[in-house]
Amino acid sequence: MSILKKIFTAVRGGAREVGEAIVDANAIRILEQEITDARNSLGKARENLTEVMAKEMQTKREISTLSQKITEHEDYASQAMEKGDEALAIEIAQKIVELEGEKSSKEAILESFTQHITTLKAQINQAEGTIAENDRQLLMVKTTESVQKATMSVTDSMSSNNSSMSNARESLERIKKRQQERSDKAAASAVLQAEAGNDLAAKIKAAGLSDSSSSSAESVLERIRAK
Amino acid sequence: MLQVRDLAIKLSDAKWEGRSFDCLPMPGESGVLQVTLSDQEEIPIYITATDTQLLCISYLFRTDELKSETVNEFNELCLQLNVSIPLSAFAKVGEQYVLFGALSLQSSFDDIMQEIVTLGENSAEALEAAEPYLA
């Protein structure tokens, strides 16, 4: 069973208490053992693979040498026949039979090597997959554990401090209060700024400064007349 | 491997988007760091390092703080919302509803600070969004 499924089952089955081991130590040991086994078999499979591949190449070379010899002897045989040396031709033909027998037995060996290589490659793939999968599952278990531990230490300290942090309602009220204070402050400072601005404008007007600085139709006419 | 205690030292001197980080290693061997963001003391963030990731978790509320008749609806809503929430996701640890973000151990310090601040803001928003479902 996959670890995620185990965790699901454990949670559904009521292992909800924080701190209760959701995945037992045995399952973790099994996972770790599987990883070690897969690593070992991976190492062996790789070693075997290189060995078998070397043998395969060697056998291929031997087969091509035999093929060459067979062609050579076929040539000799036809030359002997041309010369009318029937006895020699038969002797050569016998050699060819012998060579062909050797070749077909080598070909059978080659076939078994090729199959062995395919099997080994599949084994390597599988071992690599198992290692990756188990590593991932192990991580999931370890994360689940550390989250549990963390939660336990947090909830422990919450209850021992009898802190108000543990009550969402109260936290919420305080957050809202803080936000209200912030927006009140902003509003108050806006009002203050507006007041300060108005105040200054009023003083300027009272001092008769604002009129002289503003340009009215009359002041324009005044300027024209003055020219 | 990243040690949360080293992180605590760096965070204590750092600022991100105007926020400072108040760090407190939790007692015990769990290696949990409590980080309280300035201007958001209500919901601390808890940081744990595992073999592969840095987990940042905020604890929102327990199942028994929800109105029992709307728990299913709320769960459904959480699943629907998960993808939309930046950097964080809803989850449950035991009976605790949590918001969490996971970071690679190779994350930069800026990434970590951004994660913590975002998680803090998301948590406050999540609490507000969950208000109608709270008992």
Side-chain angles (χ1 to χ4, degrees), chain B residues 13-126:
Chain B
D13 288 332
K15 267 200 168 177
W16 185 260
E17 289 171 354
R19 308 283 198 132
S20 57
F21 306 88
D22 188 356
C23 298
L24 178 72
M26 300 294 285
E29 292 157 31
S30 51
V32 183
L33 181 68
Q34 177 187 296
V35 180
T36 312
L37 282 167
S38 61
D39 228 13
Q40 196 170 322
E41 287 80 7
E42 296 81 10
I43 314 171
I45 311 289
Y46 295 89
I47 301 178
T48 329
T50 70
D51 289 346
T52 44
Q53 52 187 350
L54 199 65
L55 278 171
C56 305
I57 304 179
S58 73
Y59 295 84
L60 299 174
F61 36 76
R62 294 182 312 274
T63 312
D64 60 16
E65 289 182 77
L66 289 170
K67 288 178 196 152
S68 57
E69 66 275 17
T70 56
V71 169
N72 283 340
E73 191 186 322
F74 180 73
N75 290 343
E76 171 79 20
L77 190 73
C78 289
L79 283 177
Q80 298 269 2
L81 282 177
N82 258 348
V83 180
S84 316
I85 308 172
L87 301 181
S88 317
F90 282 109
K92 259 184 104 176
V93 182
E95 289 300 301
Q96 283 279 345
Y97 279 82
V98 304
L99 207 61
F100 79 102
L103 289 158
S104 150
L105 287 181
Q106 276 77 48
S107 303
S108 71
F109 186 57
D110 279 2
D111 287 339
I112 295 173
M113 287 193 292
Q114 190 195 9
E115 172 67 38
I116 297 169
V117 170
T118 311
L119 183 58
E121 283 166 357
N122 287 340
S123 304
E125 276 184 39

